[in-house]
Amino acid sequence: MKTQFEQMMDGLNDVEAFLAGEQEGFKAHVPQEVDVKAIRNRLGMTQAKFSDTFGFSLDAIKHWEGGRRTPEAPARTLLTVIDKNPAAVLTALNPAAFAAAVGSSKPITVQVSAARKRQASRGLARRKAHSASGKRISK
């Protein structure tokens, strides 16, 4: 296994070769490991919702998170894109449904974690609206 420095130097050598016209295109880096559970948790999704949303089988997600299986390279690539920009994947997989869900036909970038924070803060506001006796405080 190469060190991070060696990987970076290989990448820089590829860039030099490309700029010098010695090499065409680029080589995509597919991570060897992807933390599926962390990605899913950042999106605030259950295993079933993650499965339905992105097209993975529920069993595959359970096996990946349980450490019984490792995602193949194409799945790791898709999981990496989901981690970095879930809205891009959602838009690509189902543009009409995504546009309807966000109420717009224009392509947009969505920070899913920010939406989850807003949801949590709304829940906190609702909890604060009750007195210690459990009765609702009118606003």
Side-chain angles (χ1 to χ4, degrees):
M1 178 109 188
K2 291 185 177 184
T3 66
Q4 275 189 319
F5 177 77
E6 290 169 332
Q7 290 175 350
M8 287 174 32
M9 288 306 298
D10 285 348
L12 288 173
N13 290 336
D14 289 344
V15 169
E16 275 186 347
F18 176 76
L19 292 175
E22 300 166 3
Q23 179 177 327
E24 289 187 23
F26 64 93
K27 181 179 178 184
H29 168 72
V30 179
Q32 290 297 313
E33 294 180 13
V34 177
D35 189 345
V36 178
K37 187 173 185 175
I39 295 168
R40 182 179 58 77
N41 285 336
R42 269 194 297 281
L43 296 175
M45 293 181 168
T46 64
Q47 288 178 333
K49 179 71 175 170
F50 192 79
S51 166
D52 290 342
T53 302
F54 296 109
F56 300 111
S57 77
L58 182 56
D59 283 342
I61 293 169
K62 288 178 179 180
H63 287 294
W64 294 338
E65 290 186 7
R68 293 178 295 278
R69 286 191 352 213
T70 302
E72 296 292 327
R76 289 193 314 266
T77 300
L78 179 57
L79 288 162
T80 301
V81 176
I82 292 169
D83 187 28
K84 303 297 182 197
N85 191 350
V89 176
L90 293 171
T91 302
L93 293 176
N94 195 347
F98 184 70
V102 297
S104 170
S105 60
K106 297 179 183 177
I108 61 168
T109 301
V110 175
Q111 293 291 338
V112 177
S113 59
R116 294 289 299 160
K117 287 178 187 175
R118 282 193 298 277
Q119 257 184 343
S121 67
R122 273 187 255 139
L124 181 62
R126 277 190 229 115
R127 286 190 296 276
K128 286 181 179 178
H130 290 80
S131 68
S133 65
K135 294 182 180 176
R136 179 141 173 91
I137 300 171
S138 60
K139 292 185 178 183

